[in-house]
Amino acid sequence: MKVKKYVAETMQDAIFKVKADLGPEAIILDTNKFKKGGFLGFFTKTMVEIIAGVEEKKREFKQNNNNFALQEINDLKNMVTEIHKSWQNDEFLSHLSEELLEIYQHFNQQEVNEELAKGFIKVIKENKIVPGEINSQLDAVLQEYIGECQLISTDDSQKVIGFVGPTGVGKTTTIAKLAAHFTLDEGKKVCLITTDTYRIAAVQQLQTYSDIINIPLHVAYNEQELVKLIRFDLKDKYDLILIDTAGSSWKDGIQLGKLKTLLKRELVDEIHLMISLNTRSNIIREVIKGFSLLKPDKLILTKLDETSVYGDIINIKNISKLPYSYITIGQDVPDDLEAARAELLTGYLTGGLNV
Ligand SMILES: Nc1nc2c(ncn2[C@@H]2O[C@H](COP(=O)(O)OP(=O)(O)OP(=O)(O)O)[C@@H](O)[C@H]2O)c(=O)[nH]1
Ligand SMILES: [Mg+2]
């Protein structure tokens, strides 16, 4: 703390000096009055002395913070100006109506890939849609693009489904949600297998859910055990077998190779790749590329509740060309699970847009 002494004729003047020197955050530590000058007790002046201090670091930090905030605001302003300049120079955008430009701007904020955004707008523009109907037409175009969700079907034979994805995307939690849904809502016979034996807690996590839902959980420590479970022990005993796997890095080719061997296509009917929507777009692209080794059939989007930017719903579709099956929107088992209906996903993307 920086501490200084100030002397003035009145308390008001002294405080004024403190504030002028140390700033409004200064605190008064002590005050004194004393007599000054004079002769034989006459003509003396009563003076006020204030000892005041201020937290130096705090001041600096605040100052830095303010500078940082100002810098950020300026950067943002510059960015917006640059974007608008580039839009003015963009042949396609410079010919758009106000409504269509507004849609483009919305897509931009939602981080929809630029080319895709222009593509959607082009479709609407060429269809010469009546003003007032743009919103519903846009929704229709997006729904068409997203396509119908492809849920897990348990109508005919036993289904074996494997779930894969990066660490922590919500595989185990989503399996628990699906198991609860099919057991309790659809009255199906469901069985769980976990192959995630790397972490002791992982088996325990799924065991807790299987106990609550009252369905069996089997642990497969290797490929042979998984084959034995699916081909013999559990064959035709359940409508649905859900297989949990350990989180894998999309960069680790060896780990992905092992996972591919584990979830042999002759063993599993479907592989659902899980992607968390709170992941950065460029990483999502890498994840899809890495996991394409396993040839996933469907995509599950997780953690939609943890973002407010939904452009990746469209971007992922564009990169993967895979159908969506489910989305998850929170940690609650079994409630925070929804079918990935195109209307629902479009709603996330165009919510708040009103042209
Ligand atoms: N906010 C939110 N959290 C979720 C969602 N789904 C799962 N989680 C949370 O994400 C965390 C990780 O979930 P898990 O199910 O263990 O993820 P995982 O993919 O099995 O993780 P690993 O097995 O370690 O790869 C937990 O705290 C979950 O409660 C969701 O939709 N929204
Ligand atoms: Mg897990």
Side-chain angles (χ1 to χ4, degrees):
M1 178 181 258
K2 185 176 171 186
V3 177
K4 280 177 86 175
K5 186 162 84 178
Y6 299 88
V7 177
E9 284 185 22
T10 65
M11 181 61 85
Q12 218 172 1
D13 288 348
I15 289 173
F16 182 79
K17 278 187 180 177
V18 172
K19 294 237 163 108
D21 192 18
L22 297 182
E25 283 173 34
I27 47 171
I28 292 170
L29 302 169
D30 199 6
T31 59
N32 275 315
K33 282 187 179 169
F34 64 93
K35 298 209 183 289
K36 185 182 165 193
F39 182 67
L40 296 174
F42 295 98
F43 309 116
T44 52
K45 268 196 220 163
T46 304
M47 303 296 286
V48 178
E49 181 192 81
I50 290 183
I51 312 282
V54 69
E55 288 288 350
E56 278 181 299
K57 275 195 179 151
K58 214 170 169 183
R59 259 182 99 200
E60 263 173 43
F61 177 68
K62 200 149 187 221
Q63 191 75 30
N64 285 344
N65 247 0
N66 284 343
N67 287 344
F68 185 65
L70 276 176
Q71 181 63 41
E72 275 212 321
I73 292 169
N74 278 337
D75 287 352
L76 276 174
K77 276 186 186 161
N78 290 341
M79 218 164 84
V80 171
T81 316
E82 284 305 312
I83 289 171
H84 280 136
K85 257 196 230 160
S86 72
W87 287 10
Q88 275 158 15
N89 296 336
D90 187 305
E91 177 64 18
F92 176 75
L93 296 178
S94 61
H95 291 102
L96 290 184
S97 66
E98 221 170 274
E99 289 92 349
L100 292 179
L101 206 55
E102 205 175 311
I103 294 177
Y104 183 79
Q105 197 157 1
H106 182 81
F107 276 159
N108 201 268
Q109 283 161 358
Q110 289 294 317
E111 297 178 11
V112 174
N113 167 288
E114 193 183 325
E115 289 312 310
L116 269 178
K118 285 183 180 173
F120 290 124
I121 287 168
K122 211 164 157 216
V123 172
I124 297 177
K125 196 178 166 194
E126 282 168 4
N127 280 348
K128 297 196 176 52
I129 285 148
V130 193
E133 286 182 12
I134 293 185
N135 261 336
S136 56
Q137 292 294 335
L138 176 65
D139 282 355
V141 171
L142 289 173
Q143 283 172 28
E144 176 75 23
Y145 190 79
I146 291 170
E148 276 189 27
C149 61
Q150 292 193 17
L151 305 179
I152 295 170
S153 135
T154 52
D155 290 346
D156 32 40
S157 56
Q158 181 180 60
K159 288 274 156 43
V160 181
I161 320 280
F163 297 84
V164 298
T167 312
V169 284
K171 296 178 292 298
T172 307
T173 315
T174 306
I175 288 172
K177 290 173 185 173
L178 285 166
H181 163 69
F182 280 104
T183 308
L184 307 173
D185 304 335
E186 310 238 337
K188 301 290 176 192
K189 286 183 78 183
V190 180
C191 175
L192 303 177
I193 301 178
T194 181
T195 60
D196 185 2
T197 52
Y198 297 102
R199 292 181 302 119
I200 295 170
V203 176
Q204 191 54 51
Q205 188 188 0
L206 203 54
Q207 183 72 62
T208 308
Y209 287 123
S210 76
D211 288 346
I212 296 170
I213 308 164
N214 199 18
I215 55 172
L217 167 71
H218 293 268
V219 183
Y221 284 91
N222 53 44
E223 193 192 327
Q224 291 74 26
E225 285 189 13
L226 186 66
V227 172
K228 183 175 169 288
L229 276 171
I230 296 173
R231 292 239 168 98
F232 304 100
D233 303 354
L234 307 174
K235 191 162 170 58
D236 296 330
K237 290 195 180 123
Y238 295 92
D239 299 311
L240 193 57
I241 297 176
L242 306 176
I243 307 174
D244 194 7
T245 61
S248 318
S249 164
W250 62 95
K251 291 187 268 187
D252 190 339
I254 296 176
Q255 203 181 8
L256 289 172
K258 281 186 191 163
L259 198 54
K260 186 182 166 147
T261 317
L262 191 70
L263 298 180
K264 282 188 226 319
R265 294 323 304 244
E266 58 269 31
L267 213 58
V268 295
D269 298 297
E270 288 175 13
I271 292 179
H272 291 230
L273 169 60
M274 310 201 31
I275 295 174
S276 162
L277 221 61
N278 71 3
T279 312
R280 282 169 38 207
S281 297
N282 55 338
I283 301 293
I284 288 180
R285 182 179 283 274
E286 296 295 309
V287 168
I288 295 172
K289 219 167 100 191
F291 278 88
S292 66
L293 183 74
L294 282 103
K295 300 210 172 6
D297 304 277
K298 299 176 183 178
L299 291 171
I300 296 180
L301 294 179
T302 64
K303 307 197 182 183
L304 268 78
D305 57 307
E306 283 192 351
T307 182
S308 46
V309 177
Y310 301 102
D312 279 329
I313 292 174
I314 292 288
N315 301 338
I316 291 171
K317 183 81 197 178
N318 178 42
I319 303 165
S320 72
K321 312 281 187 263
L322 290 173
Y324 289 123
S325 55
Y326 297 90
I327 61 166
T328 76
I329 35 154
Q331 294 180 290
D332 273 1
V333 178
D335 292 337
D336 293 334
L337 172 82
E338 295 275 353
R341 288 177 292 109
E343 312 90 80
L344 184 63
L345 292 179
T346 302
Y348 277 106
L349 205 58
T350 59
L353 178 69
N354 201 4
V355 283

